[in-house]
Amino acid sequence: MAEENVFERFSSNGKSKSKKGGKIQPPKNIGKIILAIVAVIAVVILISQSTYTIREQEQAVLVTFGKAEAVTEAGLHFKIPFIQQVKKVNTTIQGFSIGYSTDSNESNSDESLMITSDYNFVNVDFFVEYRVSDPVKALYASEEPVEILKKVSQSCIRNVIGSYTVDSVLTTGKNEIQAQIKENIVAKLEERDLGIQLVNITIQDAEPPTEEVMQAFKAVETAKQESETAVNNANKYRNEQIPAAEAEADRIIQEAEADKTERINEASAEIARFNALYEEYIKYPEVTKERMFYETMEDVLPELTVIIESGNGQTQTIVPLNPLFGTVTSNINAQNGEG
């Protein structure tokens, strides 16, 4: 009955049906329908196999009879179906870790544990960034270029870390170490020509393998920072004090120069006074002697006190000479006028 219903639908569309030997025969044009369906499917497959699309962050490799050719322009492209094959390559910056897992963030001591030039052990974690520079070479120059890059990176890392002291690895030498490792990796990649390019390699973490050693190195780092702070403060104090000291030295020198000039002027005045006095002495020696004597007494006597004792030594009378000084001066001036 099911077969009869099917053929009845065909005959209702204008198709004939026939019975032979009591059995229902299929219409003669059923083969054409099947061929049409197959043709449509084949056309769809051919169209889908004739085009491919490259996104902005991709490049493609078009292989024709075993010959590979890079296709770098983004957009819709055509190819010969079943003859040409397309392999797409991601050209964005990618990366992998060395010494730890990016998923679980757990340390991998087989990769991170290294020995330094002063025979100390240290755990160092790195992150390597790379990109595909030549898609053809990245696909066909080697089977696993990224794995080769990782092995090359590990080798260069151990060689460079082994040439530095543990103190440099943990503290002050990280930037220099990173630069040296990157230079070595780039040189080795150029030798191998894998079609991938190193973008950057950075030290994520560096620490001693045990907690005790880690604390010791932290103490050393703290001491170094305190030392640098003390040196900076000392330099600051020196820079502040040196100008003040130079100014004080200039002031002392200027005062000394002024005192020197004053003393020279005083000495010159004394010389002139002595020469003038000497000329007067040559003219009037006796008068000049008396004048010099009285002038000397004039300077000395006001500072003296005369003590007069009685004859029996019991009574003492202190007579200052200051009141008498005016009389003595008058007599001296009178005598000088007479002279």
Side-chain angles (χ1 to χ4, degrees):
M1 292 295 295
E3 292 180 353
E4 290 180 356
N5 292 334
V6 171
F7 289 118
E8 286 177 358
R9 286 198 296 271
F10 277 108
S11 51
S12 65
N13 291 330
K15 308 297 181 179
S16 62
K17 61 178 181 178
S18 62
K19 292 183 180 180
K20 187 177 181 180
K23 294 182 180 181
I24 300 174
Q25 298 293 329
K28 294 181 180 180
N29 56 356
I30 187 66
K32 295 181 180 181
I33 297 174
I34 295 174
L35 288 175
I37 295 174
V38 172
V40 170
I41 294 174
V43 170
V44 171
I45 293 175
L46 287 175
I47 294 174
S48 64
Q49 291 293 319
S50 300
T51 61
Y52 63 95
T53 303
I54 301 177
R55 294 179 294 181
E56 289 292 335
Q57 302 298 332
E58 288 182 337
Q59 290 185 7
V61 176
L62 185 63
V63 182
T64 306
F65 298 114
K67 182 180 179 181
E69 179 183 0
V71 181
T72 59
E73 294 182 0
L76 182 65
H77 296 267
F78 295 91
K79 67 182 182 70
I80 302 174
F82 306 110
I83 295 178
Q84 293 181 321
Q85 297 179 349
V86 176
K87 295 183 179 180
K88 297 179 181 181
V89 177
N90 185 0
T91 58
T92 59
I93 296 177
Q94 304 175 70
F96 57 83
S97 60
I98 296 177
Y100 70 101
S101 173
T102 54
D103 297 330
S104 62
N105 204 28
E106 293 182 357
S107 178
N108 183 353
S109 59
D110 293 338
E111 295 179 353
S112 64
L113 187 61
M114 306 177 195
I115 188 170
T116 59
S117 62
D118 51 356
Y119 304 105
N120 285 296
F121 288 98
V122 62
N123 282 325
V124 189
D125 300 334
F126 289 85
F127 190 79
V128 179
E129 295 176 288
Y130 69 93
R131 60 181 294 272
V132 174
S133 58
D134 189 325
V136 176
K137 293 179 180 178
L139 289 175
Y140 298 105
S142 63
E143 291 185 359
E144 297 180 352
V146 176
E147 188 64 24
I148 294 175
L149 173 60
K150 185 173 184 178
K151 298 298 182 183
V152 169
S153 301
Q154 289 176 326
S155 174
C156 294
I157 287 171
R158 292 188 180 277
N159 288 337
V160 174
I161 294 294
S163 63
Y164 284 83
T165 63
V166 65
D167 186 56
S168 298
V169 175
L170 296 177
T171 56
T172 59
K174 291 183 178 179
N175 292 333
E176 183 178 347
I177 290 172
Q178 289 178 171
Q180 184 64 43
I181 292 173
K182 183 177 181 180
E183 182 179 347
N184 294 353
I185 294 175
V186 169
K188 290 185 178 294
L189 286 180
E190 289 178 353
E191 293 176 0
R192 287 164 173 78
D193 198 15
L194 301 175
I196 57 177
Q197 176 186 7
L198 178 67
V199 176
N200 196 20
I201 181 169
T202 55
I203 296 178
Q204 300 297 105
D205 192 16
E207 60 184 13
T210 61
E211 184 66 25
E212 293 79 5
V213 179
M214 187 185 304
Q215 294 300 327
F217 275 103
K218 287 182 178 179
V220 171
E221 180 65 17
T222 302
K224 284 188 175 182
Q225 292 178 356
E226 292 176 352
S227 174
E228 292 177 357
T229 301
V231 170
N232 293 334
N233 291 336
N235 290 333
K236 179 181 178 182
Y237 179 77
R238 182 190 65 182
N239 295 334
E240 292 175 351
Q241 293 300 316
I242 286 178
E246 290 177 349
E248 181 67 15
D250 291 339
R251 185 187 65 80
I252 294 173
I253 291 173
Q254 291 175 1
E255 290 181 355
E257 292 291 339
D259 187 59
K260 169 186 172 183
T261 303
E262 182 180 357
R263 288 179 179 272
I264 291 174
N265 293 335
E266 289 178 356
S268 299
E270 288 292 329
I271 292 173
R273 179 176 174 275
F274 178 80
N275 290 334
L277 185 61
Y278 181 70
E279 292 178 358
E280 294 295 327
Y281 175 79
I282 293 175
K283 295 178 182 179
Y284 309 101
E286 295 299 329
V287 175
T288 305
K289 287 181 181 179
E290 290 182 5
R291 181 179 178 182
M292 291 176 64
F293 173 77
Y294 291 138
E295 288 178 352
T296 302
M297 291 298 103
E298 183 180 357
D299 293 336
V300 174
L301 288 177
E303 303 297 331
L304 298 179
T305 301
V306 178
I307 300 174
I308 302 175
E309 298 183 359
S310 61
N312 56 12
Q314 294 180 355
T315 303
Q316 299 180 356
T317 301
I318 301 175
V319 181
L321 293 182
N322 290 333
L324 303 176
F325 179 69
T327 304
V328 175
T329 305
S330 300
N331 295 333
I332 292 172
N333 293 332
Q335 293 179 5
N336 291 335
E338 295 176 357

